[in-house]
Amino acid sequence: MLSDPELDRLCVILVRARNPSNIGAVARAMHDFGFSHLRVVNQYPVPFEAARSAVDASDVMAAAVSCTSVAEAVADCTLVVGTTAVGERRLHHLLLPLAEAAPRLLAELRRDNSPGRIALLFGSEKTGLSNEELSYCNWLLTIPMRNPADARHVSMNLGQAAAVCLYELVRESPTDSAPPAPAVSLQTENSAEPASAAQLELLTLLLNQILDATEYARRHAHNADPAHIRRLVRRLGADAVDAPVWIGILRQILWKLSLPPKDEPRA
């Protein structure tokens, strides 16, 4: 079973959730399984506010945080795992069924001396996570479901999907032990702590600025799509020590190009 500090490290992020009832269902599932951090990313505040004002809203819903972007929602996270029903989508990430993904998530939640949070992303009930939103993820999980021949696209209700995933994390296992954290968690062999999503996003921002300034993005547009660059940066596996070094290198390149980094105010 997960300890209270381990439960506290996980945050559930809902991206463009459309139905207040579904948001409330996710909050209730989190409360039932011991998780407390819910973040909602939605440019339209109505679903979030309607769910929060519900009479039966749990303490999880009352404490939920509204974010303006996925980048903001995952900034303090060192591992971001997206959920997908797959369908006909072409994926650019490692995809694991829930039974294989859960032990990896548990290994990360149980890692000692790791202050970063672990994020579990769920997309819109209608479309799931977009390719842009998936680019913030380190890897993906899916819940295997029966796929009838006459079904166009099989997917699970948002509240049900969250409940199944969270149950898999807290249920008793025969050994009650998790395997070592895999390479896909952004850990390197000598790294004590993976880079945070905020560090990786800053690295991505600076790299994109250099690609634009050197006209690489114009000459090789197929390799310079922002979502592709974001995935590429995450595959580098930079840890919390290496990421600031790479950020410093890219800032120096921009300085040499006489361009102020976009993360710093212009004079």
Side-chain angles (χ1 to χ4, degrees), residues 59-265:
D59 53 349
V60 174
M61 191 67 246
V65 176
S66 178
C67 301
T68 59
S69 66
V70 175
E72 176 189 345
V74 303
D76 61 340
C77 301
T78 52
L79 176 64
V80 181
V81 178
T83 60
T84 178
V86 185
E88 298 178 355
R89 182 196 301 268
R90 180 186 176 188
L91 299 176
H92 302 275
H93 297 75
L94 174 70
L95 175 67
L96 298 173
L98 179 58
E100 295 180 27
R104 289 165 166 78
L105 282 167
L106 286 170
E108 282 296 316
L109 291 171
R110 288 169 169 158
R111 264 196 335 121
D112 294 333
N113 304 317
S114 181
R117 294 194 185 279
I118 309 302
L120 191 57
L121 263 64
F122 294 89
S124 162
E125 302 94 326
K126 185 176 181 180
T127 61
L129 293 166
S130 69
N131 288 334
E132 170 72 14
E133 291 154 358
L134 286 172
S135 70
Y136 289 90
C137 301
N138 301 113
W139 47 275
L140 309 177
L141 71 79
T142 188
I143 302 172
M145 291 177 286
R146 181 174 177 269
N147 192 358
D150 59 347
R152 181 180 177 186
H153 180 62
V154 177
S155 63
M156 184 176 286
N157 173 272
L158 179 59
Q160 293 174 331
V164 170
C165 290
L166 298 178
Y167 167 74
E168 192 68 20
L169 292 178
V170 301
R171 72 179 179 87
E172 292 279 3
S173 64
T175 60
D176 197 31
S177 62
V184 293
S185 68
L186 275 187
Q187 275 186 270
T188 60
E189 291 184 2
N190 299 318
S191 172
E193 176 65 24
S196 70
Q199 289 176 311
L200 296 177
E201 187 61 17
L202 176 54
L203 204 164
T204 303
L205 180 69
L206 295 171
L207 182 54
N208 277 320
Q209 189 177 359
I210 290 172
L211 296 180
D212 288 337
T214 59
E215 296 192 359
Y216 180 91
R218 182 176 66 83
R219 293 176 179 272
H220 306 280
H222 61 289
N223 286 334
D225 176 76
H228 174 72
I229 297 300
R230 185 176 290 112
R231 292 192 298 267
L232 180 64
V233 167
R234 277 150 180 76
R235 288 200 297 269
L236 291 175
D239 60 30
V241 175
D242 291 342
V245 176
W246 281 112
I247 289 170
I249 291 171
L250 295 181
R251 282 176 170 157
Q252 183 69 16
I253 293 173
L254 287 168
W255 176 81
K256 201 65 177 176
L257 293 170
S258 300
L259 293 171
K262 289 184 178 179
D263 64 301
E264 296 178 357

